[in-house]
Every structure is written in C-alpha cells, then in structure tokens.
Amino acid sequence: MFITVIGCGYVGLVTAAGLADFGHVVTVVEIDRVKIDQLNQGIIPIYEPGLETLVRRNMKKNRLNFTTDLKTGVKGAQVIFIAVGTPALPDGNADLSQVEAAVRQIAAELQDYQIIVNKSTVPVGTGNLVKQIIDKNLKAPCAFDVVSNPEFLREGSAVKDFMQPERIVIGAESQRAIAVMKEVYRQLYWARIPFIFTNLETAELIKYASNAFLATKISFINELARLCEAVNADVALVAQGMGLDSRIGPKFLNPGPGYGGSCFPKDTRALAAIARKVGVRLGVVEATVAANEGQKQFIMAKTRRVLGSLKSKTLAVLGLTFKANTDDLRESPAIYIVTELLKAGTEVKVHDPVALSEAKKIWGGRVSYCETIEAAVAGVDALIITTEWSVYQQLDLTKLKSMMKQPLLIDLRNILVPEDLQKAGFLYEGVGRGIKS
C-alpha cells in the first residue's frame, strides 16, 4: 500500500519506519527542513534503540522517503496518518492546532477515497472535528473516512512495541475503513495480535485511560514510598509483595522522583480536562497529577534534609532524561531537581549518556556538563542518581568514594543495593527504603 505519515517526531518516525518494514511504501511529510535533510542522509534526529537500523534498511529498499511537500505526500496515498504534536495548554487541554492545520492541508488535496488516521494522542471528539474540518475544506466532493488508531509506544522500546504490539486499536465508522486498516496491519492481524474495532470516541479514550492508569500506579507506589520512610518499611519489598498478586502485577511499581516524559504528564491533565468539559470529575486522575507534583517536592525536601543547607554545596546529578534509553527531557523530574538546586545556590555537575546537548538548551552555562561519570563526581558533596541508566547500576563504588568530597549518595531510582553502598562506606539514601545508613 501507499501510505503517508505527517510528522516525523517520535511517533511519526517510528510508525513510518515500522509500516515500511511491513512492506508498504511510506512517505513522511515534515515541515522542518533540517529534520528532512538529516533523515535523507540517514541521520536520525532522536535517540531510540533500533530505529536507525530500521530507517536505513527501508530507505535502502526505497520503501521509506522524506519530504516537506505535503501535496506530493497526499497524492496517491491510500492512508494518511497524522502524527503531529498535541502539547498541553495551560488549562490542561490538548493543543490541536497542529492537527487542525494538517487536516486543512490534507482536505485541500483530497481527490479520491482516502483514509485519514489520527495517530496523535487527541481528546475524545477529535475524530468528529477532523471530519468537520475536511468537509469545510474539500475543493470538490470526495469520499473519505476518519480513523482513530492511537499509539502505545514506550520510549526506549518503541521499535519492539510497534513490531510486536500487545494490541491494535482501530476506531472507525465504516466497514470499508476497517478493511483497509486490516490491510495496513496485515502482518500483525494474521499473527493474531489482538485487534479492538470500535467507534472513534472509544478508541480515543482507550489511549488516555491506559496512560492515566499507568501514571496512577506510579503515583500510588511513590506515595507508599513516603509512608515506608515514615514507618521504617522497605518499599522495594512492599512492591514485590504487591506485584506477585496477578491482579496487580509488578510493572510500574518502581518508586522514584515522579513520572515525566511526553505522555503521562500531558495525558493525565488532558483526561481530567476532557472530563470537566462534560461535567464529570475524575478524582483519581486529579489526585494522580497532584501526587506526582508532590513527589518532586518530597524529593527536594529529602535532599535538603540529608545535606542540610544546599547553598555553596557541589552536587553531581547522574541522568537527566525522564527514563533510560531515550534522549527525551520533556517534563523529566531531573529538570525540576537541577533547577531547584540552582535556585538554592548549589553548584551542579551533570552527566547523561545521550542528553547533554539537549540539556545545554535548558541551563546554558549555569551547570557543568560532564562527559564522564568520573568528571561529574570529582570533588562533590553528594551524588544524586535521577535516571535508571544501566551504566549507573555498575558504578565502581570504591573509586567514586575516593573522588568525592564526602561519600553521600542519593539513589532516586533504587537501582543500587543499599548493603553494597554501606559496605563501601557510603552514606546512603534511597526512596522508601527501610535500610538506612
């Protein structure tokens, strides 16, 4: 099939490369000329394991190409995926301006029957809005269908998630559209991946509900971690005991400095805003959002309690991305932590395996950017681990201790073994751990 994907951000690029690998001929349309030039040279503008190989393989087979010309991209495409950003507005609602702009341009080029697919995370009712915009902007009468096909990609494992998904959700209003979408995902359909066929509104809500539930699990275990510290319990074992119950499961029960990234913060606020518009209050979702903000404040209070005054202290922060295996800094708890440390008069040295160049756009010359862990920890009063990169699980504790002004380590991801740190002579602080230095 001939498919067009509008937007070559995280979702768009993974979707396009994955569909091309299924054997379709895919054109990616992006207004950012710099990104297109990079991609045409085989340079991937985001860090995602396995994506570069996937893109280059399909470019070599002439199944994947990139352009800034939307007219060329739309012409002849049987299916057009919209994968542009839907950032949060100040009131929590999703900003649909990029979606609306893309739809207006698509409508002006439609000639034969085509399917327009919302791949972006959009509020309930957006499918109907897209239909209205197309109807108003068609140059001549033309049959079309709008489909909701939300993405469920995890940063750091997005390629695997696309090629081997747990489910495919298709919201459509005609059997013709459903038949075409089955052909788009033929490889997965015949592999018996679960498919859910429903209406537009249900498909749109499944995405928000999924992310809100996962965010709720994170906020729940973070609040339990605070209780564990107060009563001398170990949250790691509490989570293990909970996770062994098949009704609960172990995933997303890892305490930390709060959730971040491009999805959970935005989607929880958007879901609460969607509900408010129709007179429904989602108290659990609102509490999840509040608990996540409270967790960041709790972490800063912990840091102040452990270190005393932060003024004139030097701290190393290891890990800046919101999770490992991505270069995404959006709403990362580490950004909040470093910024608060700077406000308190702390000298901050930072390390991250892939995100230092992005971090420089945030803090400029206000922090020291270290290419190695050793450079980051040299002469510091304390070390804070904020992201669960595997390289931080393999620290040479003896060497690090000898380089630090004092051996104080705050592990905000609980990726190190407290007994190992104590044996190495560190003063240790985790999140919700009953074992103290």
Side-chain angles (χ1 to χ4, degrees), residues 17 64 75 83 120 143 170 173 230 243-244 261 288-289 312 355 368 377 399 403 405 436:
L64 182 62
K75 186 178 181 181
S120 304
I170 304 291
E173 296 181 335
L244 290 172
T288 292
V289 174
S312 301
S368 298
V377 303
K399 181 179 181 180
M403 301 176 68
K405 189 180 298 182
K436 293 290 188 292

Side-chain angles (χ1 to χ4, degrees), residues 148-379:
S148 176
N149 174 217
E151 55 85 14
F152 299 98
L153 305 177
R154 297 169 296 171
E155 294 190 45
S157 60
V159 171
K160 178 179 180 294
D161 289 344
F162 189 89
M163 307 303 286
Q164 303 172 39
E166 294 180 326
R167 80 283 207 194
I168 298 290
V169 176
I170 304 291
E173 296 181 335
S174 77
Q175 289 303 311
R176 187 179 184 183
I178 290 173
V180 173
M181 293 306 294
K182 284 182 180 178
E183 188 64 24
V184 169
Y185 291 113
R186 184 182 200 181
Q187 186 168 320
L188 301 178
Y189 190 73
W190 288 107
R192 298 189 181 279
I193 298 298
F195 273 66
I196 296 177
F197 296 102
T198 183
N199 62 9
L200 291 167
E201 293 84 357
T202 303
E204 291 164 344
L205 189 54
I206 286 172
K207 169 64 176 180
Y208 278 111
S210 298
N211 280 354
F213 185 79
L214 295 175
T216 299
K217 287 188 76 173
I218 295 172
S219 284
F220 178 83
I221 200 63
N222 280 338
E223 289 202 324
L224 259 291
R226 299 184 214 174
L227 177 60
C228 285
E229 292 196 4
V231 300
N232 195 36
D234 189 340
V235 73
L237 295 176
V238 171
Q240 182 183 4
M242 291 171 60
L244 290 172
D245 187 324
S246 60
R247 297 168 300 175
I248 299 173
K251 294 182 179 180
F252 289 86
L253 288 180
N254 300 313
Y259 58 74
S262 63
C263 294
F264 288 2
K266 172 176 69 72
D267 292 352
T268 47
R269 293 194 291 264
L271 182 58
I274 291 167
R276 286 195 296 270
K277 280 185 176 180
V278 294
V280 176
R281 183 185 175 191
L282 299 181
V284 172
V285 176
E286 292 175 359
T288 292
V289 174
N292 194 58
E293 293 304 309
Q295 186 68 5
K296 299 174 189 177
Q297 297 165 15
F298 168 76
I299 291 300
M300 283 308 304
K302 171 194 285 289
T303 303
R304 291 187 176 91
R305 172 175 57 78
V306 173
L307 279 164
S309 174
L310 296 175
K311 189 173 183 180
S312 301
K313 296 281 178 66
T314 302
L315 270 64
V317 175
L318 301 187
L320 299 175
T321 55
F322 83 96
K323 63 181 288 189
N325 297 319
T326 179
D327 60 353
D328 196 344
L329 296 178
R330 285 175 289 184
E331 301 222 29
S332 171
I335 305 304
Y336 173 86
I337 291 168
V338 171
T339 301
E340 288 299 305
L341 289 173
L342 292 172
K343 288 179 183 177
T346 309
E347 181 180 339
V348 182
K349 302 167 73 177
V350 299
H351 174 270
D352 189 279
V354 300
L356 289 183
S357 60
E358 289 299 312
K360 290 176 183 178
K361 299 176 184 178
I362 299 174
W363 297 300
R366 292 189 292 158
V367 307
S368 298
Y369 305 94
C370 303
E371 296 292 339
T372 66
I373 296 172
E374 290 77 12
V377 303

